[in-house]
């Protein structure tokens, strides 16, 4: 067999070899540093045996994927240490993540002293340098193994796997864990690590399940890398909008009002007001939008027409019961069906299109309580929403225009370099989640792909992230802790006009179904405020500052003059206190 290496060189072998054996054949130093292999683009265990031609890359901790394997192994060391110190703790799951790793346990919460003790135990485990062994069991034997060890979460995970599945395990000394891998050859390479936090986490992310205790950590092969990371974590705490926004008196939350329902205080409200006035003037005066103002709720009948009742009801706040009430209402999770009726109010001809509607829309979504966070994940929020009703021949140019508007907003806010673009597609394996047939989805996804390619926009494709009625471009950004949120969305909709009997009259007097673009220009005001707090560490650009000038008389006799200066500045729209 012929093995093609990353640099293009080739190795030829007459018999099958493991990835680690090939690494040693290349260089003993490379083998000692190796964390995993990448065979034809797939990350595999160093123990994996190769028996046919392939492309092979030996991954070390210098590679992102290699570092993830080291951190995954560190999570197993963490689990071993916890069960050594807290024998009653039940283990759940422990993956690597972008910033390190975590492991979930069914046990009481951990204090900082507990985390320090666990770190010491981890160091003892690593010092022993146990080799890591991989083995497999049948599904039935794996269930019996963890039932005997009284590990119910592992049993549940295995029971969810198909019948006849072979289950892999990894052991290190006295500790064995259910895991698909890959892992290091031993625990020795984990030279530097730190347990950074502990929090609650629902089992499998479902608020209906038991709350577990999660430990977060990070790990490296070098102490210097760990110190740099810890220094960075201290710095980003100073930018955390949830802390800084409260300290700056921009917003607060109150238990009796509820989770995900923040109160914008005068300074925060001033920033939102500045953003809203800017966006509304921009859309109305420069981008050709007409403005609407629609109700905050509607009868269930509206959402049944749009499909939201069938596809999104669990995410809505429903007022009433269909079995007992004559009229059931729901707070709106989006504005699109309301604006469709604004369009339908008068008959439109092909000359009236594109018809661009915008609205500063307050929306309500029933987020899980465990997902709530500051201003980025809330139950009531306001967005710069818009819907463009267009002829099919106008769709591409108008979609480009929406991207251009979004880009302009990002540039003005100074955050254009902080975002990533995503083509969010349907999942053909779960067709029940969507309306429309495969041909429409495939065609519209390709149309968006062509637009992004033509504009030279780098993007990734995310299966299963589309709206139920069409694919979209999501413009995402990460918060200071690395969690990614969608900031701006532009959706291609070739389906809902049919459900709402929307049409325009063409040149021949025929009724024709339009296409629809659902879009935000800047996105959610609350989430944008959180983003800007973290971006600028509270030191906003002058035009956004809730306090731009403070007039301070040096003595009482100048107070009248100071007031006149403040008055003159206010007349010129400068924010003065």
């Amino acid at each position: 067999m012929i093995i093609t290496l990353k640099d293009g060189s080739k190795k030829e072998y007459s018999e099958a070899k493991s990835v680690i054996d090939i690494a040693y054949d290349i260089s003993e130093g490379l083998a000692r540093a190796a964390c995993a292999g990448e065979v034809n683009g797939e990350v595999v265990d160093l123990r994996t045996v190769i028996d046919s031609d392939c492309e092979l890359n030996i991954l070390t901790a210098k590679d992102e994927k290699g570092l993830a394997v080291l951190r995954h192994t560190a999570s197993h060391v963490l689990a071993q240490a916890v069960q050594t110190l807290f024998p009653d703790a039940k283990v759940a799951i422990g993956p690597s993540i972008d910033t390190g790793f975590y492991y979930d346990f069914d046990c009481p919460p951990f204090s900082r002293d507990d985390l320090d003790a666990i770190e010491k135990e981890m160091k003892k485990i690593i010092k022993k340098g146990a080799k890591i062994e991989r083995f497999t069991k049948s599904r039935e034997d794996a269930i019996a193994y963890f039932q005997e060890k009284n590990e119910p979460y592992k049993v549940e995970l295995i029971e969810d796997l198909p019948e006849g599945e072979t289950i892999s395990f990894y052991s290190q000394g006295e500790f064995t864990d259910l895991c698909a891998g890959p892992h290091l050859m031993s625990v020795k390479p984990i030279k530097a690590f730190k347990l950074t936090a502990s929090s609650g986490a629902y089992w499998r992310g479902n608020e209906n399940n038991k709350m577990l205790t999660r430990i977060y950590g990070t790990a490296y092969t070098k102490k210097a890398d760990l110190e740099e990371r810890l220094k960075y974590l201290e710095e980003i705490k100073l930018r955390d909008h949830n802390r800084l926004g409260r300290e700056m008196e921009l917003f607060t939350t109150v238990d009796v009002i509820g989770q995900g329902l923040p109160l914008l205080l005068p300074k925060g409200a001033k920033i939102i007001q500045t953003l809203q006035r800017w966006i509304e003037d921009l859309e109305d005066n420069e981008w050709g939008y007409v403005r609407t103002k629609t109700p905050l709720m509607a009868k269930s009948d509206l959402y049944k027409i749009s499909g939201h009742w069938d596809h999104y009801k669990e995410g809505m706040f429903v007022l009433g019961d269909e079995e007992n009430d004559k009229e059931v209402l729901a707070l709106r999770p989006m504005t699109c069906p309301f604006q469709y009726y604004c369009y339908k109010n008068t008959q439109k001809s092909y000359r009236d299109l594109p018809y661009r509607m915008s609205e500063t829309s307050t929306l309500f979504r029933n987020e899980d309580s465990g997902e709530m966070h500051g201003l980025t994940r809330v139950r009531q929020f306001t967005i710069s929403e818009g819907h463009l009703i267009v002829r099919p021949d106008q769709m591409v140019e108008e979609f480009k225009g929406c991207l251009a508007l979004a880009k302009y907003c990002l540039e003005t806010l100074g955050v254009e370099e902080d975002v990533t673009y995503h083509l969010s597609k349907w999942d053909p394996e779960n067709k029940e989640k969507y309306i429309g047939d495969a041909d429409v989805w495939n065609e519209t996804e390709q149309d968006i792909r062509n637009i992004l390619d033509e504009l030279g926009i780098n993007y990734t494709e995310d299966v299963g992230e589309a709206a139920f009625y069409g694919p979209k471009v999501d413009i995402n950004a990460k918060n200071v802790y690395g969690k990614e949120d969608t900031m701006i969305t532009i959706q291609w909709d070739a389906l809902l006009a049919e459900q709402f009997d929307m049409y325009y009259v063409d040149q021949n007097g025929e009724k024709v179904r339009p296409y629809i673009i659902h879009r935000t220009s800047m996105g959610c005001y609350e989430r944008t405020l959180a983003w800007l707090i973290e971006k600028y560490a509270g030191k906003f650009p002058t035009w956004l500052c809730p306090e731009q000038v403070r007039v301070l008389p040096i003595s009482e006799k100048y107070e009248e003059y100071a007031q006149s200066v403040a008055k003159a500045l206010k007349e010129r729209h400068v924010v003065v206190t």
Side-chain angles (χ1 to χ4, degrees):
M1 63 180 178
I2 298 175
I3 307 297
T4 304
L5 303 178
K6 184 179 179 180
D7 62 2
S9 62
K10 300 180 186 298
K11 289 277 187 179
E12 188 169 353
Y13 301 100
S14 59
E15 57 185 15
K17 281 188 174 292
S18 67
V19 173
I20 190 64
D21 287 338
I22 296 173
Y24 271 109
D25 189 41
I26 297 169
S27 160
E28 185 171 340
L30 177 63
R32 286 199 301 268
C35 294
E38 190 173 21
V39 177
N40 295 331
E42 179 184 358
V43 179
V44 300
D45 202 281
L46 290 169
R47 303 159 189 80
T48 300
V49 175
I50 299 175
D51 58 7
S52 60
D53 296 352
C54 69
E55 294 181 356
L56 173 64
N57 180 22
I58 305 298
L59 299 171
T60 71
K62 294 180 179 179
D63 304 298
E64 184 178 328
K65 295 176 181 178
L67 183 59
V69 173
L70 180 140
R71 289 170 168 172
H72 192 179
T73 301
S75 76
H76 280 217
V77 176
L78 165 61
Q80 182 178 355
V82 168
Q83 288 206 314
T84 300
L85 298 176
F86 304 90
D88 293 334
K90 305 302 177 189
V91 290
I93 57 172
S96 66
I97 54 178
D98 287 348
T99 56
F101 60 88
Y102 70 78
Y103 212 111
D104 291 344
F105 304 91
D106 187 351
C107 65
F110 295 109
S111 66
R112 183 65 248 183
D113 288 343
D114 291 332
L115 298 186
D116 292 341
I118 294 166
E119 281 185 6
K120 289 181 181 179
E121 185 63 29
M122 290 176 69
K123 289 176 181 177
K124 291 179 184 178
I125 294 168
I126 293 168
K127 188 174 182 180
K128 290 179 181 178
K131 290 184 178 180
I132 298 174
E133 306 289 343
R134 181 183 185 276
F135 62 93
T136 61
K137 288 180 178 288
S138 68
R139 183 177 181 274
E140 294 73 19
D141 288 346
I143 290 173
Y145 176 84
F146 280 114
Q147 284 176 335
E148 184 179 346
K149 291 174 69 72
N150 191 23
E151 293 289 2
Y153 298 99
K154 299 296 182 182
V155 171
E156 182 179 328
L157 290 170
I158 297 168
E159 287 177 339
D160 285 347
L161 296 173
E163 293 282 349
E165 188 88 357
T166 299
I167 314 297
S168 61
F169 292 72
Y170 283 84
S171 65
Q172 54 199 44
E174 300 172 353
F175 179 76
T176 298
D177 203 357
L178 169 73
C179 191
H183 281 282
L184 303 177
M185 298 298 289
S186 80
V187 299
K188 279 185 178 181
I190 306 171
K191 303 294 185 184
F193 67 91
K194 183 70 177 176
L195 301 183
T196 54
S198 179
S199 66
Y202 291 111
W203 169 234
R204 292 187 153 183
N206 187 334
E207 66 175 345
N208 296 317
N209 291 336
K210 186 172 184 178
M211 175 72 78
L212 305 180
T213 300
R214 175 172 295 179
I215 297 178
Y216 286 98
T218 192
Y220 296 87
T221 55
K222 296 180 180 179
K223 186 178 180 180
D225 292 336
L226 174 63
E227 290 176 348
E228 183 179 342
R229 175 64 185 173
L230 295 178
K231 181 181 178 182
Y232 170 74
L233 289 175
E234 287 302 314
E235 289 175 352
I236 66 175
K237 284 181 183 178
L238 301 177
R239 292 177 176 266
D240 182 350
H241 89 275
N242 210 11
R243 181 194 67 81
L244 190 55
R246 295 170 194 271
E247 289 181 1
M248 294 179 65
E249 298 181 6
L250 300 176
F251 74 94
T252 189
T253 53
V254 181
D255 287 343
V256 295
I257 293 175
Q259 279 188 302
L261 299 169
L263 300 173
L264 287 171
L265 302 174
K267 292 179 181 178
K270 185 64 179 178
I271 297 174
I272 296 294
Q273 181 190 59
T274 301
L275 289 170
Q276 182 177 329
R277 287 176 173 175
W278 165 56
I279 288 294
E280 290 181 350
D281 288 345
L282 180 69
E283 292 176 338
D284 299 355
N285 299 332
E286 299 181 36
W287 290 82
Y289 284 79
V290 294
R291 188 152 297 278
T292 65
K293 187 172 178 61
T294 55
L296 299 181
M297 66 181 77
K299 296 194 299 183
S300 60
D301 305 51
L302 179 71
Y303 304 114
K304 289 175 181 177
I305 296 172
S306 67
H308 289 104
W309 201 253
D310 292 332
H311 296 274
Y312 201 79
K313 184 180 177 182
E314 290 186 1
M316 297 167 65
F317 288 101
V318 178
L319 311 176
D321 186 309
E322 288 187 287
E323 292 184 4
N324 301 314
D325 297 306
K326 290 183 178 180
E327 188 172 80
V328 176
L329 300 170
L331 298 178
R332 65 180 184 186
M334 61 282 296
T335 311
C336 42
F338 297 85
Q339 287 197 328
Y340 297 161
Y341 283 98
C342 293
Y343 171 83
K344 283 165 60 72
N345 185 56
T346 58
Q347 181 171 287
K348 305 292 190 298
S349 82
Y350 68 96
R351 295 187 184 92
D352 297 314
L353 304 188
Y355 191 73
R356 308 182 188 100
M357 294 174 286
S358 60
E359 182 165 335
T360 302
S361 304
T362 297
L363 306 178
F364 306 85
R365 294 184 185 175
N366 192 9
E367 299 281 0
D368 291 338
S369 59
E371 293 293 316
M372 241 60 86
H373 178 69
L375 296 176
T376 59
R377 187 71 66 173
V378 292
R379 284 175 168 160
Q380 176 184 309
F381 56 95
T382 302
I383 66 173
S384 56
E385 193 167 16
H387 296 88
L388 292 77
I389 316 301
V390 305
R391 302 192 309 263
D393 64 287
Q394 297 171 324
M395 188 66 166
V396 169
E397 288 306 311
E398 289 298 314
F399 202 92
K400 289 179 184 177
C402 292
L403 283 166
L405 175 56
K407 188 172 185 295
Y408 175 79
C409 291
L410 294 171
E411 289 172 348
T412 304
L413 294 172
V415 294
E416 71 277 7
E417 295 181 357
D418 302 333
V419 302
T420 55
Y421 290 78
H422 301 256
L423 168 51
S424 296
K425 308 188 296 184
W426 79 319
D427 181 1
E429 300 299 319
N430 292 286
K431 294 181 180 179
E432 70 281 356
K433 291 172 55 179
Y434 310 93
I435 60 175
D437 58 36
D439 289 342
V440 173
W441 281 92
N442 293 335
E443 180 181 340
T444 52
E445 285 174 5
Q446 186 58 49
D447 286 332
I448 296 177
R449 195 178 288 114
N450 292 342
I451 291 170
L452 294 172
D453 290 341
E454 180 185 336
L455 296 176
I457 296 174
N458 294 322
Y459 62 95
T460 58
E461 300 192 9
D462 301 332
V463 175
E465 295 300 315
F468 68 85
Y469 49 80
K472 56 182 177 170
V473 172
D474 284 326
I475 303 176
N476 295 357
K478 291 183 179 179
N479 67 14
V480 290
Y481 295 105
K483 184 180 182 301
E484 192 168 73
D485 286 304
T486 298
M487 309 308 294
I488 296 173
T489 292
I490 304 168
Q491 300 174 348
W492 184 301
D493 177 5
L495 297 169
L496 286 183
E498 177 75 28
Q499 296 191 209
F500 281 87
D501 191 27
M502 298 167 67
Y503 67 88
Y504 64 93
V505 178
D506 69 7
Q507 299 93 319
N508 301 316
E510 301 292 330
K511 291 182 177 180
V512 180
R513 297 290 182 209
Y515 281 179
I516 304 167
I517 300 174
H518 308 240
R519 49 102 278 187
T520 55
S521 50
M522 184 197 66
C524 169
Y525 286 94
E526 290 84 356
R527 187 172 285 180
T528 298
L529 176 56
W531 189 14
L532 294 173
I533 293 170
E534 296 186 349
K535 168 72 175 180
Y536 295 108
K539 300 172 184 177
F540 302 107
T542 302
W543 72 281
L544 280 174
C545 286
E547 179 187 41
Q548 294 170 336
V549 173
R550 183 176 296 180
V551 181
L552 301 173
I554 60 175
S555 72
E556 288 185 8
K557 67 180 182 179
Y558 297 116
E559 187 169 339
E560 184 177 340
Y561 177 70
Q563 290 176 353
S564 69
V565 171
K567 182 174 182 293
L569 288 169
K570 288 179 180 179
E571 289 172 351
R572 289 160 177 79
H573 307 292
V574 177
V575 184
V576 183
T577 58

